[in-house]
Amino acid sequence: MTTDEQNIFNDLQNNSLIFFKDFIDRITDKDTASDDHISNELVMLSVSSLQISLELALKAVVLKKSGLLQIIKEESSTKSIAVLFQDFQNNSLKTKQFEQIKNYAKSNNLVSTLSDFDYENITSFQKYRNGIVHFSYKFQEGDFFDLKYDITYFVVSILIKVLCTGDDDIKPSEFLEYSLGSKYHNKLIHYRPYVVAMKSMADAHSEKVFNCIICNSRTYAKEEDYCYCCNFYGDLHSFRDCEYCNEKKSMIYDGLNIGINQFTAKAQCLNCLRDTIIFLCPKCESSYNLEITSEQRCSFDDCKFS
């Protein structure tokens, strides 16, 4: 990209995030998540904010990967980038319809993480948004029980993927915490539909999904040592088998700092949620549950496994 194209890209991306943050503020402040129903007003405003955010984000992707000429109307295609940037600054730059932008991105696979099913969802939201703007779209009563979760799916499985294009390995909570900030991340990790979506994502990526010691949601993917809800990585912690539920490597404890407390530490099972105090032998590294063990354990001076 040229410097002018980079400036336009930055504005598109930043404005997309503004509408995304507007959605998060509204949905978490006005929806108590006490049931699966959502108000007509909240649906209309949420769909509008998310669709605008997506349109700006997708334009930014096409601009970044294919250049400015690919998002502007054909009558301006003979102008230089410098002149087009001046039009942009003067608010006179006209871009193609979103339908054209979407079809171009899809046919050229510009967002490799989006599936055909995702594009079908984009089309549905596009229909909702157009109906709201042009025809005062009337949602059916039954829609209000599904749309809350459909909207959250749109956020984590579509919008964030578009915003993260070029960094396809980033996870939704990583993006939220590092790109939007802890304020917006914290709002969503306490919003039940978001937690439900992250539970499904954790289930899809790990055979074992445990409770997270940080956010207390069952969204910790053991095979990745990662919580999809709150962005907690457990790779700096230690794990042992749990004697209470017999789950393997499910009991977490602070193995890095255990030496400063006579090699004892609090441990909690992320599966059955029981907690205990453990002792870790500094010589052979065998660990013992001090609340239930009856066998002679290692001591500092006498390791029974030596």
Side-chain angles (χ1 to χ4, degrees), residues 15 31 93 118 155 168 212 280:
N15 288 340
D31 179 27
L93 183 64
D118 291 331
V155 168
D168 296 339
C212 176
L280 181 71

Side-chain angles (χ1 to χ4, degrees), residues 213 251-254 258 261 264-268 275-278:
I213 197 172
M251 188 169 275
I252 189 172
Y253 64 95
D254 183 1
I258 197 169
N261 193 33
T264 60
K266 181 177 179 180
Q268 183 178 39
D275 58 29
T276 188
I277 301 297
I278 66 160

Side-chain angles (χ1 to χ4, degrees), residues 161-215:
K161 287 180 181 178
V162 176
L163 286 166
C164 295
T165 300
D167 191 6
D168 296 339
D169 291 332
I170 194 169
K171 298 178 176 67
S173 275
E174 285 182 297
F175 169 81
L176 288 168
E177 183 171 9
Y178 301 142
S179 297
L180 267 66
S182 58
K183 170 187 172 182
Y184 293 96
H185 182 230
N186 287 333
K187 283 190 170 190
L188 276 181
I189 66 177
H190 293 98
Y191 182 59
R192 187 166 65 91
Y194 179 78
V195 176
V196 170
M198 292 300 98
K199 172 66 167 63
S200 297
M201 193 167 287
D203 287 336
H205 287 84
S206 181
E207 183 178 346
K208 296 286 186 180
V209 177
F210 295 147
N211 215 65
C212 176
I213 197 172
I214 302 299
C215 68

Side-chain angles (χ1 to χ4, degrees), residues 73-99:
K73 290 192 172 181
E74 292 184 2
E75 57 261 34
S76 300
S77 61
T78 58
K79 296 181 180 181
S80 68
I81 298 298
V83 172
L84 291 171
F85 182 67
Q86 288 298 318
D87 290 343
F88 172 73
Q89 289 186 308
N90 295 329
N91 297 316
S92 59
L93 183 64
K94 296 181 179 180
T95 60
K96 295 177 180 177
Q97 296 288 330
F98 176 68
E99 183 71 13

Side-chain angles (χ1 to χ4, degrees), residues 9 12 23 32 36 38 47 51 75 108 130 133 155 186 191 205 217 221 223 232 249 263 278 290 306:
F9 170 83
L12 288 172
F23 158 76
T32 63
D36 292 337
I38 188 171
V47 168
Q51 183 64 27
E75 57 261 34
N108 290 275
N130 291 340
V133 171
V155 168
N186 287 333
Y191 182 59
H205 287 84
S217 298
E223 291 174 25
F232 167 66
K249 301 296 182 183
F263 292 93
I278 66 160
L290 298 185
S306 296

Side-chain angles (χ1 to χ4, degrees), residues 54-241:
L54 177 69
E55 292 188 17
L56 292 168
L58 202 55
K59 283 180 183 178
V61 169
V62 174
L63 168 58
K64 181 178 181 179
K65 294 196 171 186
S66 299
L68 179 60
L69 295 179
Q70 203 55 245
I71 69 170
I72 63 170
K73 290 192 172 181
E74 292 184 2
E75 57 261 34
S76 300
S77 61
T78 58
K79 296 181 180 181
S80 68
I81 298 298
V83 172
L84 291 171
F85 182 67
Q86 288 298 318
D87 290 343
F88 172 73
Q89 289 186 308
N90 295 329
N91 297 316
S92 59
L93 183 64
K94 296 181 179 180
T95 60
K96 295 177 180 177
Q97 296 288 330
F98 176 68
E99 183 71 13
Q100 295 174 283
I101 299 291
K102 179 189 68 176
N103 291 339
Y104 179 84
K106 180 181 179 182
S107 61
N108 290 275
N109 197 30
L110 297 189
V111 186
S112 60
T113 52
L114 288 182
S115 65
D116 289 342
F117 179 72
D118 291 331
Y119 275 104
E120 290 175 9
N121 275 278
I122 291 174
T123 300
S124 295
F125 264 72
Q126 188 180 349
K127 178 188 70 175
Y128 292 150
R129 184 264 181 191
N130 291 340
I132 290 169
V133 171
H134 300 295
F135 302 108
S136 186
Y137 189 88
K138 301 297 183 184
F139 292 97
Q140 300 300 313
E141 182 62 26
D143 292 339
F144 299 120
F145 291 92
D146 298 325
L147 276 168
K148 178 184 293 191
Y149 292 90
D150 291 345
I151 287 169
T152 307
Y153 175 88
F154 185 91
V155 168
V156 301
S157 296
I158 296 175
L159 179 56
I160 290 179
K161 287 180 181 178
V162 176
L163 286 166
C164 295
T165 300
D167 191 6
D168 296 339
D169 291 332
I170 194 169
K171 298 178 176 67
S173 275
E174 285 182 297
F175 169 81
L176 288 168
E177 183 171 9
Y178 301 142
S179 297
L180 267 66
S182 58
K183 170 187 172 182
Y184 293 96
H185 182 230
N186 287 333
K187 283 190 170 190
L188 276 181
I189 66 177
H190 293 98
Y191 182 59
R192 187 166 65 91
Y194 179 78
V195 176
V196 170
M198 292 300 98
K199 172 66 167 63
S200 297
M201 193 167 287
D203 287 336
H205 287 84
S206 181
E207 183 178 346
K208 296 286 186 180
V209 177
F210 295 147
N211 215 65
C212 176
I213 197 172
I214 302 299
C215 68
N216 202 33
S217 298
R218 207 164 187 87
T219 48
Y220 185 82
K222 184 62 185 76
E223 291 174 25
E224 297 181 295
D225 280 331
Y226 175 74
C227 176
Y228 273 84
C229 183
C230 73
N231 199 34
F232 167 66
Y233 276 95
D235 53 352
L236 296 181
H237 289 68
S238 299
F239 289 84
R240 65 187 299 277
D241 297 346

